[in-house]
């Protein structure tokens, strides 16, 4: 049975439990989710504050399957939340991944996403100490 409400489907990406995020990513790859909706669900999981990095790792592990199963035009949209993975090690990880896994139907958009990720990482690095100090945490 296909998921009838897109709102409820996409809400699955908001779980704050890593096991449930894993199940959500698996579900996105199942035949129960329309191929045009699955990338949006995965994107929502990557955008998650608690387990976005996990969702990204799970997507990378199934990258070939994603490229094969999902419409080409949805792949780069699925990647947009990578800009929120703003720790230096994640910036290096995504750049290394896309150096060997090009996205032909969205090269320019992917470059912009990776640029925004870099900007966000620089902002995080620069402003975390300032914000922490102003909130009395350091």
């Amino acid at each position: 049975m296909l998921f009838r409400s897109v709102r409820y489907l996409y809400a699955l990406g908001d779980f704050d439990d890593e096991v449930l995020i894993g199940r959500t990513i698996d579900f996105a790859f199942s035949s129960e989710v329309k191929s045009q909706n699955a990338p949006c669900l995965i994107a929502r999981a990557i955008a998650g504050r608690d387990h976005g990095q996990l969702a990204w790792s799970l997507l990378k592990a199934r990258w070939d399957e994603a490229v094969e199963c999902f419409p080409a035009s949805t792949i780069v949209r699925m990647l947009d939340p990578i800009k929120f993975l703003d720790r230096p090690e994640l910036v290096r990880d995504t750049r290394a991944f896309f150096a060997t896994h090009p996205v032909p139907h969205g090269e320019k958009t992917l470059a912009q996403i990776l640029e925004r990720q870099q900007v966000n990482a620089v902002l995080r690095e620069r402003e975390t100490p300032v914000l922490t100090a102003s909130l009395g945490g350091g």
Side-chain angles (χ1 to χ4, degrees), residues 86-102:
D86 58 1
R87 299 192 183 277
E89 66 275 9
L90 294 172
V91 172
R92 287 188 300 274
D93 176 65
T94 54
R95 292 201 184 267
F97 182 80
F98 290 115
T100 58
H101 297 84

Side-chain angles (χ1 to χ4, degrees), residues 124 126-138:
R124 172 189 273 274
R126 185 184 73 213
E127 295 301 323
T128 295
V130 175
L131 185 59
T132 302
S134 70
L135 294 174

Side-chain angles (χ1 to χ4, degrees), residues 66-121:
V67 170
E68 182 180 317
C69 296
F70 304 150
S73 63
T74 65
I75 298 296
V76 77
R77 285 185 282 170
M78 173 177 63
L79 301 174
D80 186 66
I82 286 172
K83 65 189 173 204
F84 300 126
L85 302 176
D86 58 1
R87 299 192 183 277
E89 66 275 9
L90 294 172
V91 172
R92 287 188 300 274
D93 176 65
T94 54
R95 292 201 184 267
F97 182 80
F98 290 115
T100 58
H101 297 84
V103 180
H105 295 285
E107 286 180 26
K108 187 166 191 124
T109 303
L110 178 60
Q112 291 169 340
I113 292 166
L114 295 175
E115 181 180 359
R116 281 180 272 164
Q117 181 192 33
Q118 179 66 42
V119 168
N120 290 342

Side-chain angles (χ1 to χ4, degrees), residues 2-3 5 21 30 41 49 61 77 91 104 120 128-129 131 135:
L2 292 174
F3 230 81
S5 173
I21 288 295
S30 77
L41 174 56
R49 181 181 181 123
R77 285 185 282 170
V91 172
N120 290 342
T128 295
L131 185 59
L135 294 174

